[in-house]
Amino acid sequence: MATLFDHTLGRLIEATKHLDLDPSVLEKLKQPLETTQVRLPIRMDDGTTKTFTGWRCRYDDSLGPTKGGIRFYPHVNAGEVEGLALTMTVKCAVMNLPFGGAKGAVKVDPGSLSNTEIERLSRAFMRSCANVIGPNRDIPAPDVGTNETTMAWMMDEYSTIVGKRTPAVITGKPVVLGGSLGRDDATARGAYYIIQYKADTLGLEPGATVAIQGFGNAGKNFAKLADALGCKIVAVSDSKGAIHAPAGLDYGELLAAKRRGSVINMAGSAGVSEIPGDALVAVECNLLALAALENMVHKDNARSVRAYVIVELGNGPVTPEADEILEDMQVKILPDILANAGGVTVSYFEWLQNCQGESWSLEEVHERLKTMMEMEADAVWAYALKRDITLRKAANVLALSRIGAAMAALGTDRFFKD
Ligand code: NAD
């Protein structure tokens, strides 16, 4: 079965058709710069020792120090970490950030550990990887199963190792330790700014109907912003199932239902019915927001999509086969490498603030994020129009042209031949 790595690399190979690119650029991008595997023996609370496996992959550093999250997740392996690190490489290039891409992981179910065990594991991961990580080398951030507290422990451990307080080594920290305001909803907000800016081009009118798959950090914050924009949220799902309300769902009630365990707790209220979780993508709506897992829209369900715009808040929710079907159906997709890049962009702001000893107001973070999302959305749209290709292809072409330019400036085969 094709993996996220295969999908991401395949999309880059496709993008080379639209560029005069030195072949050595793609050749280099076929493999990561380095993947470190570490053994993490942890003293458990009962006195026994348990050994976990961790990875840190720095995929490519042509554009700058590498950047990417660390996930604590039971079903992860080196290949998946490398696929996610390649995606980060492309995403940072689309946003024109001075970063390459990276990703890290520990194979663990954090729910099975106590807080003190998670602290020991976080510190052990940083100790084992400290030689590849650094504020000008590789800068981690939170991901699935990790959070601001995990980042605080890792920053503290790194600072102890190097003998000086180093907040810029990691982003997504608590604000009191140098975290940035506005990081919590940055992913959803970045997508929201693009949708607001390109609403006319996308054919989205005030009061547009929205279906949202996934009601975690990305999906919940997107629901809040869409609601504030005057959109009508007609369906929402999470891992337990989905609900449908053609007349619209109340955001406050959705939040309350989720706090009680799942959005499906709203089923049975006036006008709200429960539907199978996998029926959400087929709900009649204008905008479908995918904020759950990978491969949720695939060749077998792509034809059932009724929305005319899809926004990928999650990573890799639409497979390449589904891409082709949706392109034929003229459904516009705001691709993950642009649409959910608000998170890494505010992480970049956090790193900048730490490097400069500054602390920006929430208004400043929002203003800068809006400017950057609109600027790179314009760049992607311009490539798409010029070459008559989809936004995803255009974003990949843009990323590859930037990575290629950096590699050329560092000296490629062509440099030596000319
Ligand atoms: P999260 O764990 O907070 O939320 C995930 C949500 O998806 C949960 O509500 C869960 O119940 C739901 N879900 C799981 N399986 C589902 C299914 N089969 N059908 C419907 N819903 C399902 O995670 P998150 O941080 O919101 O991340 C979601 C996606 O966005 C991931 O792909 C992640 O990599 C991506 N992403 C997140 C950020 C961020 O800043 N949080 C940044 C970039 C990308």
Side-chain angles (χ1 to χ4, degrees):
M1 201 175 125
T3 61
L4 176 70
F5 182 85
D6 300 329
H7 290 168
T8 312
L9 187 61
R11 282 167 171 155
L12 285 178
I13 293 170
E14 162 75 28
T16 60
K17 294 182 193 157
H18 303 277
L19 271 180
D20 173 24
L21 194 75
D22 189 302
S24 66
V25 175
L26 190 63
E27 180 58 24
K28 284 182 193 162
L29 288 176
K30 285 180 183 165
Q31 285 187 35
L33 198 59
E34 56 179 340
T35 303
T36 307
Q37 178 172 323
V38 292
R39 179 181 72 178
L40 304 167
I42 301 303
R43 183 86 63 213
M44 306 300 280
D45 290 345
D46 65 4
T48 60
T49 297
K50 206 166 168 185
T51 305
F52 299 90
T53 308
W55 297 270
R56 183 70 186 168
C57 170
R58 298 179 64 236
Y59 201 93
D60 182 76
D61 66 350
S62 304
L63 285 167
T66 49
K67 182 101 194 69
I70 298 171
R71 63 175 54 175
F72 285 2
Y73 192 62
H75 312 291
V76 67
N77 54 49
E80 192 178 325
V81 174
E82 290 178 350
L84 290 161
L86 175 57
T87 307
M88 281 306 294
T89 306
V90 180
K91 197 182 293 185
C92 290
V94 171
M95 287 309 296
N96 214 8
L97 303 178
F99 289 139
K103 206 76 179 190
V106 177
K107 192 173 171 60
V108 61
D109 172 10
S112 69
L113 301 186
S114 70
N115 280 342
T116 49
E117 289 165 343
I118 294 177
E119 176 175 0
R120 288 196 284 276
L121 186 61
S122 306
R123 290 182 181 275
F125 181 87
M126 182 51 94
R127 271 197 307 281
S128 301
C129 293
N131 55 340
V132 295
I133 289 170
N136 294 305
R137 194 170 198 281
D138 178 37
I139 306 134
D143 198 80
V144 177
T146 54
N147 54 33
E148 61 171 30
T149 308
T150 334
M151 298 303 109
W153 289 325
M154 290 190 184
M155 187 273 283
D156 187 49
E157 191 67 23
Y158 185 85
S159 300
T160 304
I161 292 166
V162 298
K164 60 180 176 201
R165 188 62 173 259
T166 315
V169 72
I170 210 157
T171 59
K173 302 177 292 296
V175 173
V176 70
L177 295 179
S180 179
L181 294 172
R183 177 64 185 84
D184 46 351
D185 73 351
T187 300
R189 185 172 286 276
Y192 159 82
Y193 284 145
I194 296 179
I195 289 167
Q196 200 182 27
Y197 182 54
K198 294 288 181 189
D200 287 348
T201 321
L202 293 168
L204 291 170
E205 291 174 357
T209 51
V210 183
I212 304 174
Q213 182 188 60
F215 205 67
N217 176 293
K220 199 188 316 174
N221 282 309
F222 186 75
K224 182 177 168 186
L225 292 163
D227 184 58
L229 195 64
C231 294
K232 194 199 285 182
I233 301 168
V234 292
V236 175
S237 69
D238 60 23
S239 57
K240 307 242 169 68
I243 48 171
H244 185 209
L249 289 154
D250 180 80
Y251 174 71
E253 286 175 25
L254 270 172
L255 261 193
K258 186 68 184 171
R259 266 190 228 111
R260 296 198 306 277
S262 168
V263 292
I264 58 170
N265 289 325
M266 262 190 88
S269 332
V272 184
S273 55
E274 187 173 349
I275 57 170
D278 54 12
L280 183 120
V281 301
V283 161
E284 176 80 52
C285 62
N286 305 137
L287 175 68
L288 173 62
L290 300 173
L293 308 173
E294 295 95 53
N295 303 335
M296 300 303 280
V297 179
H298 43 77
K299 68 174 176 22
D300 298 325
N301 67 0
R303 280 191 185 78
S304 70
V305 168
R306 313 269 279 279
Y308 51 81
V309 180
I310 291 179
V311 56
E312 293 184 328
L313 292 165
N315 286 317
V318 178
T319 67
E321 286 161 318
D323 261 349
E324 285 183 20
I325 297 168
L326 293 163
E327 188 178 350
D328 281 349
M329 290 164 63
Q330 301 194 334
V331 175
K332 282 212 163 54
I333 302 177
L334 301 181
D336 49 4
I337 47 177
L338 172 70
N340 72 32
V344 68
T345 304
V346 174
S347 270
Y348 163 58
F349 295 164
E350 180 174 335
W351 177 79
L352 269 184
Q353 291 171 73
N354 295 156
C355 291
Q356 297 164 352
E358 290 185 3
S359 161
W360 301 350
S361 68
L362 186 61
E363 291 69 32
E364 184 165 2
V365 170
H366 287 172
E367 188 72 16
R368 287 183 186 240
L369 178 63
K370 186 167 186 289
T371 303
M372 285 187 66
M373 296 309 302
E374 292 181 354
M375 196 158 65
E376 299 315 326
D378 274 340
V380 169
W381 250 265
Y383 264 78
L385 280 174
K386 191 169 158 200
R387 292 171 171 76
D388 192 21
I389 53 178
T390 63
L391 296 170
R392 188 189 314 281
K393 285 181 189 160
N396 276 287
V397 172
L398 177 63
L400 209 46
S401 71
R402 286 174 172 163
I403 296 169
M407 285 185 182
L410 293 166
T412 58
D413 294 354
R414 188 178 286 176
F415 172 82
F416 293 103
K417 279 181 212 140
D418 287 347

